[in-house]
Amino acid sequence: MGARTAKALGFIFVSLLALLWLVPIIMMLVVSLMPPDQRAPRFGGLLISGVSVQNYVTVFLDAPILQHFINSFAITIPSVVLVVLISSLAAFALARLTFFARDLWFYLLITTLMLPIPTLVVPIFQINKALGLLDSYLGLILPYTALGVPFAIVIFRSFFAGFLRELEEAAILDGCTPFGIYWRIMMPVSWSAVAVVIIWQFMTSWNEFILALVTMNSVETKPLTLVPLVYSGQFMMRPGPMFAILTLITLPVIVVYYLMQRFMVSGLTAGAVRG
């Protein structure tokens, strides 16, 4: 009974924490479904007089949301692909190959994780301006990739370092090259690490605001995260459309996490079986 009581109390405590964390998301969703004739929700944003999708219709009619969606995907997906490819190759070299100052290079990469993005805004803006990348997808894809590679290398290196040396030696005896070991042996069983990197990089690139704000000047090239700022004057007195936009920004991240979560589990299982 004591163990069951402790387990029940722990479950209740964790559930309350999860509910507390979900309160802002619930408020956002509730306000986005608020009828247009209701100017403000009651009880701190948790109660509305009815449910209506008119706010979403208003957003799609008054703003080119689809174009902003395309802009965000055109920036986010290439940065995710580049981060996975570059970081996995670098992590394989840092974990399985031997070369001069290997550990020093890894520690230098880790130190870049301590740099906050606001300190890099001015240098990145100057570089983009000199290269003519302002108002260009590449002006955000390249910085997002550079900023995402160090963290991804840490994830991939931890996974590759625990790979059995015997399998690598057997592959070498069969004539497999280092790149063949990376591509044919390690990557197929690294879906757990790949899923973590994809989720993290997608969330980071999709939600990034400061670099996008200083890089994209025209409305036609702005990603979705800048839409609330662009149309804040239009919707400032109408919280329903504003929170509808915020909900639309959040949905792709939730969908990607939901889809990649099962690959994380299957990747972990595959690695355990093959190892």
Side-chain angles (χ1 to χ4, degrees), residues 8-275:
L9 291 175
F11 177 79
I12 293 173
F13 177 73
V14 173
S15 299
L16 290 175
L17 286 180
L19 183 61
L20 183 64
W21 180 83
L22 287 173
V23 166
I25 298 178
I26 296 174
M27 292 175 60
M28 178 182 67
L29 182 60
V30 168
V31 176
S32 70
L33 296 173
M34 184 174 63
D37 57 354
Q38 184 178 355
R39 289 301 177 182
R42 297 186 295 270
F43 195 61
L46 295 177
L47 292 179
I48 55 179
S49 59
V51 176
S52 173
V53 296
Q54 185 59 41
N55 293 320
Y56 292 92
V57 175
T58 300
V59 167
F60 278 95
L61 291 178
D62 294 348
I65 296 298
L66 293 179
Q67 181 60 46
H68 294 301
F69 261 110
I70 294 173
N71 294 338
S72 291
F73 279 114
I75 294 168
T76 301
I77 293 178
S79 69
V80 171
V81 173
L82 288 174
V83 166
V84 171
L85 291 177
I86 296 173
S87 61
S88 60
L89 284 168
F92 174 78
L94 292 170
R96 312 303 296 189
L97 303 181
T98 302
F99 54 90
F100 176 74
R102 182 186 67 177
D103 294 336
L104 177 61
W105 285 112
F106 177 68
Y107 293 133
L108 288 176
L109 284 171
I110 291 180
T111 57
T112 60
L113 296 175
M114 297 183 292
L115 293 174
I117 291 182
T119 62
L120 303 175
V121 170
V122 175
I124 291 176
F125 174 80
Q126 295 294 338
I127 293 174
N128 283 338
K129 184 178 179 181
L131 297 178
L133 296 179
L134 295 179
D135 268 339
S136 170
Y137 292 155
L138 281 178
L140 291 179
I141 293 173
L142 297 179
Y144 290 169
T145 301
L147 294 172
V149 163
F151 175 79
I153 287 178
V154 173
I155 300 298
F156 278 117
R157 184 178 181 271
S158 301
F159 192 90
F160 291 157
F163 200 82
L164 290 178
R165 181 67 65 176
E166 289 79 5
L167 289 178
E168 184 178 356
E169 293 173 351
I172 294 175
L173 291 177
D174 289 338
C176 195
T177 62
F179 181 79
I181 295 173
Y182 155 80
W183 186 251
R184 298 179 180 179
I185 298 177
M186 291 193 175
M187 287 303 291
V189 298
S190 302
W191 268 108
S192 58
V194 172
V196 171
V197 172
I198 289 177
I199 292 172
W200 177 264
Q201 185 60 33
F202 186 93
M203 181 179 63
T204 303
S205 299
W206 184 271
N207 292 329
E208 202 281 324
F209 178 81
I210 298 178
L211 286 178
L213 179 63
V214 300
T215 301
M216 299 301 191
N217 297 321
S218 61
V219 177
E220 293 76 14
T221 59
K222 289 182 182 293
L224 193 62
T225 52
L226 297 181
V227 175
L229 180 64
V230 174
Y231 300 102
S232 59
Q234 181 180 358
F235 297 140
M236 184 62 70
M237 302 304 296
R238 300 158 64 191
M242 177 64 73
F243 279 88
I245 293 176
L246 296 177
T247 303
L248 292 174
I249 295 174
T250 306
L251 285 179
V253 178
I254 297 176
V255 171
V256 169
Y257 178 80
Y258 175 78
L259 294 177
M260 296 304 301
Q261 189 178 24
R262 61 190 182 95
F263 288 107
M264 292 176 64
V265 176
S266 62
L268 288 171
T269 304
V273 171
R274 298 193 182 189

